[in-house]
Every structure is written in C-alpha cells, then in structure tokens.
Amino acid sequence: MKRLVNICSVFLLGAGLAAQSAVAETLLLKRELSRAPAFELKTPYGDTVRYPKDALGNPTVLMFWPSWCPYSRALQPYVEDIWTDYLDAGVNVWTISIKETGDPVATMQERGLNFPLLLDGDPLLDTYLITRTPWLIVIDGQQKIVYTRPSNPPTPIHVAKDVRRVLNSLLGDKSVPMPASFPLPYDLHLKDKSELVDRTAPEPIPTEQWVAWVDQYIAHLKPEERRADIAPRGPLKNGKAALALAKSLWAEAYGVAELRAQAPYRAFFRKDHWIVMGQGLDRQLGQGLVLAVRADSGQVIRMSRGDQ
C-alpha cells in the first residue's frame, strides 16, 4: 500500500484513523537503514546519475523534497550553500524530487536555486524508508548513512550546522570552516517568537527578464576589459563552478554578511561568459552583486555592485 503525504511532516501508511496512523509511523521509524541503497535517476537534462558509482567514494548529501513543502523550501538555501562550500572538497550533493504535484525545475528557477536536481524519486520512498519531508541524509564514502535530519529540528540552521559538522568529520584535513553567521530561516521554523522578523519577499523576476538584462550587460563589456588583480581560475565547465567562484570572490571582497544578504543567486551562460548575480530580497535587476567571467579561462572581466 502506498504511503500518503501529511503536509510536509510524515508519510503515513494507509488512510485509517489518526491513532492507527500514529502506530504505523512508529513502526516505520523503528526500522533502521544503515546503508544507502543504490539508485539510478535522471537529471532535468536527461543525464543519468548512478549511485554509488557516481559518488566516486566521496561523502554524499541527499535531500528528498517536493515543491509544495514549506519546510523543504526553508531548508533549500542552506543546502545550496553546503553544495557550493563543499564543492572543492569533493562532496556530492543531490536533491531528489518526490511526491511532486508541480514542476521542480521551474520551482528551482523561481527560488534562484542551482544545486543538482534528480527527478522522479518516488521509487526510493520505500528503499530509503522516507517518512517525512524534507528527508535529508549524509552518507560516507562506504555508503554508510551517518546523519538523518531529525523529525522536529528547531530551525533549518540547526540542520545545516549538523550536516557541516558531520561532513567535516568525514573530510579530515579537507574540512570546510563553519560560516561566521547564517541567514535567518522562515518564521515557520522559529520556536522563539522574539526571532520573528519581517521577511515578506516580492514576486520573483521572470527568467526572460534576467536573460534580457544579461544580454544588455554583456553588450557593454569592453573587449579589453578584465580584472588584472584577479588571476584566471581555469575553465568553468558549468554554472555550479561559476557560482562557486563568484561566491568565493564576493565573500573575500565584500564580506560574508553581504554575500549572504545577496541570496538567492542566478548564473547565466551567454557569449562565452558566465554572468553571476546576487538577487537579495529586493530582486531588482542588476542591483545586486555581479560577476562577469570568461568560461574558457576563468578570467574575471568585471566584479561590481549593481550597475557600476
């Protein structure tokens, strides 16, 4: 019998009374999964990811989520930061859409997310004993599950810190320093009402408007223009690498606090250039941090605040 979703919290067995469902959940949670099962899933681009083969013996973070779940949405920016921060350390991060009623690719675009996405993960609900969303686990290089997100964490920040600590324990001398601060989560997760702040976000800017702005931005770049004070970083094969470079340079130049205030970020490949932009809550076209870099050499052309 298929499990049904109880809005972002617990997958229940059947459709019986609440007491029967509670018993079913208890039985599910008593089942322990110590080793991550193998799987094959497609990316939005049609490529196949095969676990554990494609993990290459490195630590792996898996996050299972549907686009309608607010708890998943609140955790996603922290998973995005983990993905970019641990990229150079070889950590794999795959997010997997499950129980989907919408379009996860469009959802990621609307939220300014760039982490790797795998589609149609429902066949893994049973093999991974998934009972709630978001379901997040950390796996070591030998397929051993070493962390599972608890059922009721105080905030997504607590989850992010736990995941980073576990990854660092696995990485040893490749560990990544803990951020000096974390952006506040959605009010949905806050247990202390004193932490509540006004975070009403405007509607996201459609992708076609960003593309038009990027084309105009590139048109104003001078052929001889480049940042001579920043050495070329080598070829940037994809948006993931371009985003990681931008965040590293921005943090160094403007500070971690301003970097995090610029989230979410967008990256576009146009005319042999990667253009990476910070949006922030204002989501004003071109008013955040901007990085223009050549894809073939990693040579930074321009790095600025807004339209400078």
Side-chain angles (χ1 to χ4, degrees):
M1 187 177 295
K2 293 287 187 182
R3 295 187 199 135
L4 303 178
V5 179
N6 178 13
I7 307 299
C8 259
S9 57
V10 179
F11 291 101
L12 301 177
L13 283 174
L17 298 175
Q20 295 172 324
S21 296
V23 171
E25 179 193 352
T26 300
L27 291 174
L28 277 171
L29 296 179
K30 284 184 177 180
R31 297 165 62 191
E32 293 184 358
L33 184 67
S34 60
R35 185 174 174 83
F39 63 79
E40 292 187 8
L41 293 175
K42 294 286 188 180
T43 73
Y45 308 103
D47 299 322
T48 300
V49 169
R50 297 175 175 85
Y51 179 84
K53 179 182 178 181
D54 290 338
L56 302 176
N58 293 326
T60 297
V61 178
L62 297 181
M63 177 183 172
F64 299 82
W65 62 281
S67 60
W68 46 261
C69 173
Y71 292 94
S72 297
R73 179 173 186 170
L75 183 58
Q76 283 175 331
Y78 301 94
V79 175
E80 174 98 359
D81 284 346
I82 289 170
W83 167 58
T84 55
D85 290 349
Y86 285 83
L87 176 65
D88 290 340
V91 172
N92 307 291
V93 176
W94 286 303
T95 70
I96 301 171
S97 64
I98 57 172
K99 289 296 188 180
E100 192 53 74
T101 59
D103 183 344
V105 176
T107 297
M108 286 182 58
Q109 292 176 343
E110 291 169 1
R111 296 174 185 174
L113 299 168
N114 298 279
F115 49 48
L117 172 67
L118 305 180
L119 301 174
D120 302 323
D122 285 5
L124 304 185
L125 291 175
D126 289 328
T127 57
Y128 274 80
L129 306 183
I130 296 172
T131 59
R132 57 184 177 270
T133 61
W135 189 262
L136 184 145
I137 60 176
V138 179
I139 313 165
D140 70 10
Q142 289 73 48
Q143 292 183 247
K144 180 181 179 182
I145 297 175
V146 293
Y147 172 83
T148 301
R149 173 187 173 271
S151 60
N152 191 28
T155 73
I157 293 176
H158 291 74
V159 177
K161 288 181 177 179
D162 287 344
V163 169
R164 288 172 177 268
R165 292 189 186 103
V166 171
L167 288 174
N168 285 343
S169 70
L170 296 175
L171 292 171
D173 58 4
K174 291 185 178 180
S175 63
V176 176
M178 191 75 71
S181 62
F182 291 83
L184 288 176
Y186 291 107
D187 294 346
L188 173 69
H189 290 267
L190 298 176
K191 310 303 180 184
D192 182 353
K193 298 302 181 183
S194 66
E195 295 183 63
L196 294 175
V197 297
D198 182 8
R199 280 186 292 280
T200 303
E203 290 296 317
I205 297 173
T207 297
E208 57 268 21
Q209 292 186 29
W210 280 108
V211 171
W213 183 90
V214 168
D215 285 341
Q216 184 179 33
Y217 184 88
I218 289 179
H220 286 84
L221 293 176
K222 300 175 182 178
E224 72 280 3
E225 187 175 355
R226 67 185 181 92
R227 284 289 299 264
D229 58 322
I230 303 176
R233 303 302 176 94
L236 301 173
K237 297 181 179 180
N238 50 41
K240 179 178 178 179
L243 181 62
L245 173 60
K247 293 178 70 174
S248 173
L249 292 174
W250 288 341
E252 183 179 347
Y254 306 116
V256 173
E258 182 164 354
L259 168 65
R260 294 190 178 281
Q262 292 285 320
Y265 316 97
R266 299 296 297 270
F268 291 94
F269 181 70
R270 312 289 286 181
K271 299 180 180 178
D272 300 321
H273 290 75
W274 281 105
I275 307 297
V276 187
M277 299 157 291
Q279 297 180 71
L281 286 179
D282 291 338
R283 287 192 171 91
Q284 297 294 316
L285 279 168
Q287 294 305 305
L289 298 178
V290 182
L291 181 80
V293 57
R294 286 193 59 87
D296 57 354
S297 64
Q299 173 65 63
V300 174
I301 307 300
R302 184 185 297 179
M303 183 170 68
S304 62
R305 286 185 174 95
D307 290 319
Q308 297 176 0

